[in-house]
């Protein structure tokens, strides 16, 4: 059993599980020794390798079966009953069950190897589709985190990307409706379209329209009605180098937050609500980027609704604005780590939706000047 499974069982339970096969054999010996000959401890000896099979290696399971057989033979030898038919019956039972335990162990080990391979593949897919951005992009400090709701699922329908372009640092955070492989495919299309458009389009509005067209094509090529109705909420932002502002287009996504150096927190809602991407059939309107100040030392936080819709045991939603207001952090990475820890405490460790977090900090004036001059 791996370290992760040990953590799920708990340290005390894991220790008990490790000793259980031994306890079964020792208990069988004690029971057989203290009871009349008409009683038998064969079921306890046979159960020992079965208990070992799911939790131990093939060799340990084999040794457990061997120890159980030694226990049976030793007890009957001490009682001088080795030649009786019941003795052979008990020995055959232990051998048969031990063989079954070895088969179970082999199947479990093979399944674990496949699962480990699947995890590696999933992690590689996540890194390919959602590569972790550099910590310093275009003079800005950047941090990103992805938290999957399903344990051992590395990627879902949430997305983020940051790219330095001739027009400044451009970034996107989005959430694809739906789960599974279809959502992952849409994420890949959205990220690819964003990276190409971010370099080529002179305006942020142009980048948004390129994503709109790409995601609409992706939805239309699918056969099922549910897949065709897929949409993506997103916030796209542009931070021109040295301008002290951020331009944003919000397409039906939770409003970003701006954390000032003194801990004051400010929401950045759009002036006019807009439909998510790939919903142009329901209406069309021109996208207009809105400008907000991004003072030195401030941090821009973008997130998906997996954060704002996380609930505690009483069903109360997590409010990132309320929880972060008045707090200060050394950098964007520390901000996101503290935020994730706080969400886990709020939910008790569980979540029903993926969450993607992206924090971009503009260095304070003194630090920015030192970077420009170099060490």
């Amino acid at each position: 059993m791996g370290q992760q499974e040990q953590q799920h069982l708990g340290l005390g339970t894991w220790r008990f599980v490790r000793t259980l096969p031994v306890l079964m054999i020792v208990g069988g010996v004690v029971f057989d020794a203290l009871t009349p000959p008409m009683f038998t401890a064969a079921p306890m000896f046979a159960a020992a390798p079965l208990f070992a099979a799911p939790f131990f290696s093939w060799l340990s399971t084999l040794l457990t079966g061997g120890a159980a057989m030694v226990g049976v033979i030793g007890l009957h030898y001490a009682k001088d009953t080795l030649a009786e038919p019941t003795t052979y019956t008990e020995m055959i039972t232990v051998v048969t069950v031990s063989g079954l335990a070895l088969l179970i162990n082999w199947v479990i080990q093979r399944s674990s190897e496949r699962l480990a391979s699947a995890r590696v593949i999933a992690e590689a897919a996540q890194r390919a589709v959602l590569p972790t951005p550099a910590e310093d992009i275009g003079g800005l400090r950047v941090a990103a985190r992805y938290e999957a709701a399903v344990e051992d699922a590395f990627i879902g329908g949430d997305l983020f990307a940051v790219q330095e372009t001739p027009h400044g640092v451009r970034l996107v955070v989005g959430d694809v409706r739906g789960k599974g492989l279809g959502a992952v495919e849409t994420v890949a299309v959205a990220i690819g379209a964003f990276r190409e458009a971010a370099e080529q389009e002179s305006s942020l509005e142009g980048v948004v329209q390129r994503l709109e067209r790409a995601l609409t094509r992706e939805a239309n090529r699918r056969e099922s009605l549910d897949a065709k109705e897929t949409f993506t909420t997103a916030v796209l932002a542009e931070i021109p180098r040295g301008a002290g502002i951020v331009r944003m287009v919000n397409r039906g996504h939770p409003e970003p937050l701006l954390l000032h150096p003194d801990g004051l927190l400010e929401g950045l809602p759009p002036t006019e609500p807009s439909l998510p991407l790939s919903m142009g059939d329901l209406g069309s309107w021109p996208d207009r980027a809105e400008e907000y100040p991004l003072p030195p030392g401030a941090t821009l936080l973008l997130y998906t609704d997996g954060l704002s819709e996380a609930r505690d045991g009483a069903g109360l939603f997590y409010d990132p604005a309320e929880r972060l207001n008045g707090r200060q952090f050394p950098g964007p990475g520390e901000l996101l780590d503290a935020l994730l820890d706080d969400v886990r405490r709020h939910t008790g460790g569980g979540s029903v939706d993926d969450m993607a977090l992206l924090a971009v900090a503009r260095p304070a004036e003194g630090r920015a000047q030192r970077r420009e001059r170099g060490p």
Side-chain angles (χ1 to χ4, degrees), residues 173-192:
V173 170
D175 186 358
V176 177
R177 173 189 174 271
K179 301 290 183 183
L181 184 58
V184 176
E185 291 175 349
T186 303
V187 167
V189 170
I191 294 294

Side-chain angles (χ1 to χ4, degrees), residues 111-160:
S111 299
S112 298
E113 290 173 2
R114 291 194 186 100
L115 180 58
S117 298
R119 288 174 180 168
V120 171
I121 293 170
E123 187 172 6
Q126 182 194 30
R127 289 174 178 172
V129 177
L130 294 180
T132 302
E135 294 182 357
D136 193 318
I137 301 177
L140 302 171
R141 301 175 65 195
V142 179
R145 302 287 187 272
Y146 188 94
E147 191 93 346
V150 180
E151 189 174 2
D152 296 331
F154 288 90
I155 188 170
D158 290 6
L159 62 98
F160 57 77

Side-chain angles (χ1 to χ4, degrees), residues 234-269:
V235 172
L236 290 93
E238 174 185 275
I239 305 174
R241 180 177 287 273
I245 61 170
V246 55
R247 301 188 185 102
M248 287 194 295
V249 175
N250 191 325
R251 295 294 295 268
H253 199 75
E255 66 180 51
L257 302 174
L258 185 65
L259 186 63
H260 291 269
D262 60 0
L264 178 65
L265 191 136
E266 177 185 1
L268 304 179

Side-chain angles (χ1 to χ4, degrees), residues 340-355:
L340 286 174
D341 289 341
D342 196 39
V343 173
R344 294 187 190 106
R345 286 192 294 269
H346 179 79
T347 61
S351 181
V352 297
D353 198 5
D354 303 337
M355 67 177 77

Side-chain angles (χ1 to χ4, degrees), residues 269-321:
T271 303
E272 296 182 7
S274 299
L275 289 176
L277 297 167
S278 74
M279 295 186 70
D281 292 343
L282 300 181
S284 60
W285 59 91
D287 288 298
R288 293 188 177 88
E290 301 185 51
E291 287 190 2
Y292 305 89
L294 185 63
T299 301
L300 179 67
L301 173 64
L302 300 96
Y303 56 91
T304 56
D305 60 10
L307 176 69
S308 54
E309 294 183 1
R311 302 190 189 201
D312 62 9
L316 185 66
F317 287 112
Y318 184 85
D319 186 349

Side-chain angles (χ1 to χ4, degrees), residues 194 233 261 273 359:
F194 167 78
T233 68

